[in-house]
Each structure stands twice: as structure tokens, then as C-alpha cells.
Amino acid sequence: MFDGFTRSGPATVHVRGGRITAVDRTGSRPSDRYVVDLGADACLLPGLIDTHTHLAFDSGNDPVASFVAADDERMLTGMRAAARTALLAGITTVRDLGARDFLALTVAEETLRTPEAGPEILAAGPPITTFGGHCHFMNGEAEGRGQLIDAVRERHDRGCAVVKIMASGGQMTRGSRAYLSQYGQEDLRIVADEAHRLGLPVAAHAHGNEAITDALAAGVDTLEHVSFSGEKGIDEDAALVERLAGSGAFLSLTLGTRGTLPLEVRQHLEPRLDSRRKVHRELVRLGGRVVVGTDAGIFPSKPHDVLPHSVEELRNLGLPPAASLAAMTSQAAIACGVEGRKGRISAGADADFVVVGGDPLRDPASLLDVRAVFRAGVRVR
Ligand SMILES: [Zn+2]
């Protein structure tokens, strides 16, 4: 049982067996002796959800080189540390959108057994990619109807929570071009249809406009990055922005930075940042469903606890404070298919909380003043 403050005022949250059993907003003081009094200036929030992380990337200067050099044991050690880092910042659910083979499932099982070990991990396994394509070194290469269907089925059978497909290329992989498509619309549809038949959501990595268009038409659940990358800059396409915003698909924007980006990334990105922000602002203005996927792990400025640092960027995109919090709690839960269980403080939901000092609706920076973290009812910080 927790006695504290939520968005709707003073509340006592009753917890049993890792779940919320009741939320009492009458203001009456609980008489139970197992009460955690969080204090009058503390705000109780649902644990945060990062819709796009890579536990296997080490946030170093060359994460791909370290990734390729690490054997499974070393990679698992790094992933466990990354999971713990995220958890202590109040991130109680992460979607791992790519590690080698199915290693993320190993860590996911561990954190399910031991809440102190890390967030609940919704693992994609290796992203489905073309031969030699973006992140091929994660071992998820598949092309053509038969292989694509087999790949989806394998992820389902092994217990993945989501299917990730690289609709476009990406910056991190040598030889890959982010603005070029890797799969056509028909391929993406095969993957989406098979995943949905099996009850799994699909996350499509999509930088270029063609990949974004095709992923949207194929009916994927979340579009990752949505950066409108063209060969020479940002390809602004008002009609596509409008379609995206009105589609109901979740747009998992790559936000969250602590410190500065590496020089070569800055040189590539900075000329594009303004125009990309303009497009994203327009997406928000038109009612696009925005959630935050940090891509934690891919740069030194993206450690695995970077998510709370994205609230400022969300505000700059024009998202009101409450909607910014929803983007990393309730909306993120819907995007990941775990609504009802995550991202909310109500009876039946998992007892995942972050307790911060002050009121994050007035001061977003209070998300960084973490007073306590609970995972499945266990206090981990
Ligand atoms: Zn990623």
C-alpha cells in the first residue's frame, strides 16, 4: 500500500501480489501498518515505458563494434546492467527492439522472475532485415514470403512480445542507407498480417518516406523513427504527414539525449534537425499519436536511463505536459499492447511506479528527481 499524490490528488494505492488491487481517492488515511508514506511533495506516477531500446548496445563510441566483438556471455552481462540502469530511473517497461539472436528473451525471463533485476522487457528478438541489411549482425535476415512468415512464427513460438522489421536502412550499419527501403509494401504486409494473426504487434523501423508510406499501408502498429530522411536532407511531404497523423498508428519518435551527440552524428544530423522537428511538430499539431522510443544504447548521449530526459523535447514539439507524460506511460502501453497492465494506476494494473519530487505537470524536470521506484510491488529504489 502506498500513500501519496497522483494527478487526481491524494491517493492510497493498495497493492497485493505485484498488482494494484484498489486506488482510494477518498483521502482517508489507511490504517494498515504496511504503508509506505511517500510524503506530501512526492508524486506517484505509473512506471515509465521506453518503446524502443537496445539493451545490447553499450552507449559507447562504437556500439556496433563492441556488439560484434562481444560473445553471448559478455553481451548478457551488459544487457543485465543496462536493464538495471533503466529500472533505477523509473523505467519499469522497455521494448527491446533488437539484440543478437534471442538473448533479450533470456534477460526478459530474468526480470520477470526477479523484479529488482530490471524493467519488464518486451523483446523483439533479432529485427527482421534483408541479407546484409540494417543490423544484419543481429541474425534476423529473411527475404521472400516463406522466410518472412517463418521468421514471424519463430518469434511468436519463442515468446517475443513484438515483431520488429527494418523497413528502411539505417545509419549504424555500414553500407546501409537510411533513406532507402529494404522491403516493399507487400513484404511488410506479409509480416504484419502473420504477426497480427498470432496476436503480436509489429514495429517497423522506417526512416525514408517510401518506407514510412509502405509500413503505414501495411498496417504496422508502431512506426519507429519516422524521420522523413531523404538522400540530401529531410523530405517534407505534407500529405504523408497528414495521413500519418490521422492513421491512428503510433509514431515512436526517437527522442532523449543526455549530453552531446558524437561529432560525426552531429555533422550528419544537425543540418536536418530543424526541418525534422518542424515535421514532427506538424505531426503533433494534427493529432498524431506520439510515443517515445529513445533508441537507448546507440550513442554515449543515449544511456539506458535517458527516457525522462525527453520531456523537454516533447514540449518543444508542442505536446502539453500531461500528454508528454502519457507519451511515456499510458499511450506507450497501448502502443506496445500492454494497456490495462502498464502505464496506469488503477486496479488490476501491475504495481510499477516511479515516485518523483514535485509536480511533473508543472515542472518536467521533476521526472529526474526520482525518490523511489517500485516494480511489481517491490521497492527497487
Ligand atoms: Zn533502434
Side-chain angles (χ1 to χ4, degrees), residues 52-54 57 97 134 164 166 172 205 225 295 298:
H52 187 146
T53 69
H54 297 280
F57 283 137
L97 289 189
H134 183 42
K164 162 96 176 284
M166 301 300 200
M172 289 183 88
H205 161 108
H225 312 302
D295 230 352
I298 65 160

Side-chain angles (χ1 to χ4, degrees), residues 292-315:
V292 188
T294 61
D295 230 352
I298 65 160
F299 298 134
S301 57
K302 285 187 174 292
H304 286 92
D305 55 359
V306 79
L307 177 66
H309 291 267
S310 64
V311 280
E312 196 61 43
E313 287 159 89
L314 285 168
R315 238 175 28 169

Side-chain angles (χ1 to χ4, degrees), residues 2-57:
F2 309 113
D3 199 18
F5 202 84
T6 67
R7 202 179 143 197
S8 27
T12 303
V13 181
H14 298 256
V15 170
R16 185 180 291 257
R19 292 261 172 89
I20 299 170
T21 53
V23 182
D24 180 358
R25 300 186 195 280
T26 60
S28 62
R29 296 283 302 173
S31 55
D32 200 292
R33 64 197 181 93
Y34 298 105
V35 174
V36 183
D37 188 343
L38 299 167
D41 70 329
C43 183
L44 183 69
L45 299 162
L48 307 180
I49 302 169
D50 192 333
T51 61
H52 187 146
T53 69
H54 297 280
L55 295 171
F57 283 137

Side-chain angles (χ1 to χ4, degrees), residues 241-303:
V241 168
E242 211 167 299
R243 262 205 327 281
L244 273 176
S247 68
F250 279 97
L251 311 169
S252 176
L253 302 186
T254 313
L255 307 173
T257 299
R258 198 172 77 200
T260 49
L261 295 167
L263 183 65
E264 60 189 68
V265 179
R266 280 211 317 272
Q267 282 169 344
H268 169 81
L269 217 59
E270 259 163 16
R272 299 163 175 244
L273 272 184
D274 272 349
S275 38
R276 197 179 71 190
R277 200 175 295 123
K278 205 177 119 207
V279 179
H280 285 170
R281 281 185 70 90
E282 187 63 3
L283 274 174
V284 168
R285 193 184 71 78
L286 293 172
R289 300 178 94 181
V290 167
V291 293
V292 188
T294 61
D295 230 352
I298 65 160
F299 298 134
S301 57
K302 285 187 174 292

Side-chain angles (χ1 to χ4, degrees), residues 45 57 69 73 98 111 116 124 137 161 227 237 262 276 307 328-329 355:
L45 299 162
F57 283 137
E73 247 348 281
T111 67
E116 298 93 320
F137 45 80
S227 58
D237 179 341
R276 197 179 71 190
L307 177 66
M328 49 185 88
T329 53
V355 180

Side-chain angles (χ1 to χ4, degrees), residues 308-309 311-312 315 356-370:
H309 291 267
V311 280
E312 196 61 43
R315 238 175 28 169
V356 301
D359 180 357
L361 287 178
R362 287 210 194 99
D363 174 19
S366 65
L367 273 192
L368 301 171
D369 178 12
V370 176

